[in-house]
Amino acid sequence: MEVIRAIAMARKVCNAARSAGRTVGFVPTMGAFHDGHMSLMKRARDERDHVVVSIFVNPLQFGPGEDLSRYPRDEDRDLSIAGELGLDVVFAPGVEAMYPAWPPEVTVDPGPLGDRLEGAARPGHFRGVATVVAKLFDVVGPSTAYFGEKDAQQLAVIRRMVRDLSLAIDVVGCPTVRELDGLATSSRNVFLSLEQREAAGCLFLALSEAAQMARGGERDTATLVAAMAREIGATPEARIDYAAVVDDETFAEVSTIAGPARALIAARFAETRLIDNLLLPAS
Ligand code: AMP
């Protein structure tokens, strides 16, 4: 496995793989690997010949006052996990390599999808995500890129970017990996105290309740949102940021479920902000 820091070298190695007729699979990450990251890397390893994972904590997707400086980092551990999974390349550039001029003046506009929910709570977040992913796509040149459904709105933004910019990349969404109580694995879970960790199970409980109600035929999203808010509200450690039901493609909020819809929640546990979501059954 090669660990590459320079863009030119990453480009060269990936070009060589493609020239040799190998398909390139790509998993973009911010490191601090957990089972969610590993499921993406395994899937890429299973499906593609030459597999690249990037580790880059992208400053452009963090707002002022967010957790950029305390974001968990453990590169040594990440490298040994990537090695064990049999990946070909870890691309771990520094900020200067990715942003030769800071801040960049030319960025990727994620469109209206980027202004909703997570985008409203974190202005500029999806512009930062779309920009860095576009840059990474250009360096790696994958045929297939793997993203987690855990960050469903991010996945939707990337799908839309690939469509609107006519990028020749297959975007694969991978199921959310969860702990036994349903909490989605996340790099940020390490910040939770024992009590907060226990309380954080309320996110999945709330989403599951909405899913169950939808399965039972409830189509009114205000009722589903109220049920989710009630579940989070009953958890003293949690402070709700938003609960919503959206159209699964546009992420516009819907009042009635008429097609594929997704329930989403963002909540804070003291300083730690967690998000989760679930596709609602069609009943
Ligand atoms: P991150 O390092 O948090 O930027 O995540 C890198 C990739 O892993 C993204 O595509 C995430 O959606 C995905 N991911 C994060 N957590 C999970 C999870 N619990 N299950 C599946 N994928 C995940």
Side-chain angles (χ1 to χ4, degrees), residues 56 58-61 94-104 128 131-132 135:
F56 181 61
N58 173 33
L60 198 61
Q61 70 189 68
V95 173
E96 324 68 45
M98 287 299 283
Y99 296 109
W102 179 264
T131 302
V132 82
K135 288 167 73 87

Side-chain angles (χ1 to χ4, degrees), residues 28-31 34 36-37 39-40 71 146-148 150-151 154 174-177 184-185:
T29 81
M30 298 205 297
H34 51 71
H37 296 118
S39 72
L40 268 52
Y71 195 83
Y146 298 82
F147 292 84
K150 151 80 167 47
D151 300 286
Q154 167 173 284
C174 304
T176 301
V177 175
T185 60

Side-chain angles (χ1 to χ4, degrees), residues 121-122 237-241 266-274:
R122 305 181 65 188
E237 291 83 358
R239 196 154 49 81
I240 196 161
D241 220 346
R268 284 174 200 277
F269 299 80
E271 302 291 289
T272 307
R273 187 171 177 282
L274 301 180

Side-chain angles (χ1 to χ4, degrees), residues 59-133:
L60 198 61
Q61 70 189 68
F62 288 79
E66 290 187 355
D67 57 355
L68 173 62
S69 60
R70 70 166 196 151
Y71 195 83
R73 296 164 201 248
D74 192 346
E75 198 185 83
D76 290 345
R77 181 173 170 275
D78 290 349
L79 294 182
S80 76
I81 290 172
E84 279 163 26
L85 293 177
L87 301 202
D88 298 281
V89 173
V90 175
F91 178 45
V95 173
E96 324 68 45
M98 287 299 283
Y99 296 109
W102 179 264
E105 290 184 358
V106 176
T107 57
V108 177
D109 181 349
L113 185 49
D115 291 332
R116 303 189 175 127
L117 297 163
E118 273 305 279
R122 305 181 65 188
H125 173 65
F126 287 119
R127 176 182 297 277
V129 169
T131 302
V132 82
V133 171

Side-chain angles (χ1 to χ4, degrees), residues 6-86:
I7 286 182
M9 179 56 85
R11 215 185 274 288
K12 192 169 147 192
V13 167
C14 294
N15 281 343
R18 269 193 311 279
S19 303
R22 307 181 75 206
T23 56
V24 177
F26 179 42
V27 182
T29 81
M30 298 205 297
F33 290 162
H34 51 71
D35 289 352
H37 296 118
M38 281 155 70
S39 72
L40 268 52
M41 291 189 269
K42 282 182 189 151
R43 173 105 182 246
R45 178 68 288 166
D46 283 349
E47 295 183 355
R48 297 293 139 202
D49 301 324
H50 180 82
V51 179
V52 181
V53 63
S54 64
I55 299 175
F56 181 61
V57 182
N58 173 33
L60 198 61
Q61 70 189 68
F62 288 79
E66 290 187 355
D67 57 355
L68 173 62
S69 60
R70 70 166 196 151
Y71 195 83
R73 296 164 201 248
D74 192 346
E75 198 185 83
D76 290 345
R77 181 173 170 275
D78 290 349
L79 294 182
S80 76
I81 290 172
E84 279 163 26
L85 293 177

